[in-house]
Amino acid sequence: MKILLATYWELPHLGGVWPLMLQLKQSLEARGHEVDILGNSDQAYHMLFQNRYFYKQQVLPLLMSKLTRTNLGVSHWITTTEANRCAMELAAVYFGLEKYDLIHTHDALSSRALYRVKPSNTPLVASLHGSLAREIMLIVKSSQDAAHQQQTINLWKYYRAIEYHGVLSSNKTVVSSHWLRNILVDEYGIPDKKVTVFPYGMDIPEFCQRMQEPITIKRPPDKKVIIFTGRLVYLKGLDFLLYALARLKKSRQDWVCWVVG
């Protein structure tokens, strides 16, 4: 089979989506399939490892002009995101989707974009790695500024709609947790049969190899080690960890906390 992996997000990237897509490509190719990766960058959508680019500046001024003239009264962020999503549709048409037997997207924006321009008989599988709308709602709850709250609520409505239609655009949507599946089914009203839970796998041989590599950080003697892993962003709840550690320190000091992110 000839398979396209695609995402609206920037590639390569430090987040988890990039290594996952790369592992998928390598594993599928080891099984005899042909796999391409379509990703985003600052100036262009590009086919990785092929030196093929679709430069956004060729179309963004026109798209922004049309979206601005509609006078929807939405924020510049939403208008810019929508223009970039439309640009991804044009990029996909430019690169050509007819040659693929399967398209596998890794976010709601690319799912919606590629659905609109792919051949009708080409199946589309979507993997959602989180909920942007849920992340934005956390920001709303943490903000004390009314004007900022309203802008963020509008952004939440936009991403909620994108996630809803992105899932409906796929033949099957895959998520890694029942938590996210419950959001899509119970809160968004997505049909139950549309969403499948499939936990992330890992490259075990590489993991075992990395375990044998020496490290420069030494565990302090006579202390327990608490480790946090994840991006250093509000969503990951690092503030709760700090509050908990502050309370813990009042009763005992036989520990250290390592933040890995």
Side-chain angles (χ1 to χ4, degrees), residues 5 166 218:
L5 308 178
K218 300 299 181 182

Side-chain angles (χ1 to χ4, degrees), residues 206-222:
E206 182 186 5
F207 179 78
C208 293
Q209 180 182 348
R210 294 286 296 274
M211 284 183 64
Q212 305 306 315
E213 297 176 4
I215 61 172
T216 57
I217 301 175
K218 300 299 181 182
R219 179 180 181 139
D222 305 321

Side-chain angles (χ1 to χ4, degrees), residues 215 217-229 241 245 248 252-260:
I215 61 172
I217 301 175
K218 300 299 181 182
R219 179 180 181 139
D222 305 321
K223 285 186 181 289
K224 301 181 185 300
V225 177
I226 303 168
I227 294 182
F228 167 89
T229 61
L241 173 64
L245 293 177
L248 179 62
R252 57 192 296 176
Q253 290 82 41
D254 60 335
W255 56 271
V256 294
C257 181
W258 292 351
V259 177
V260 185

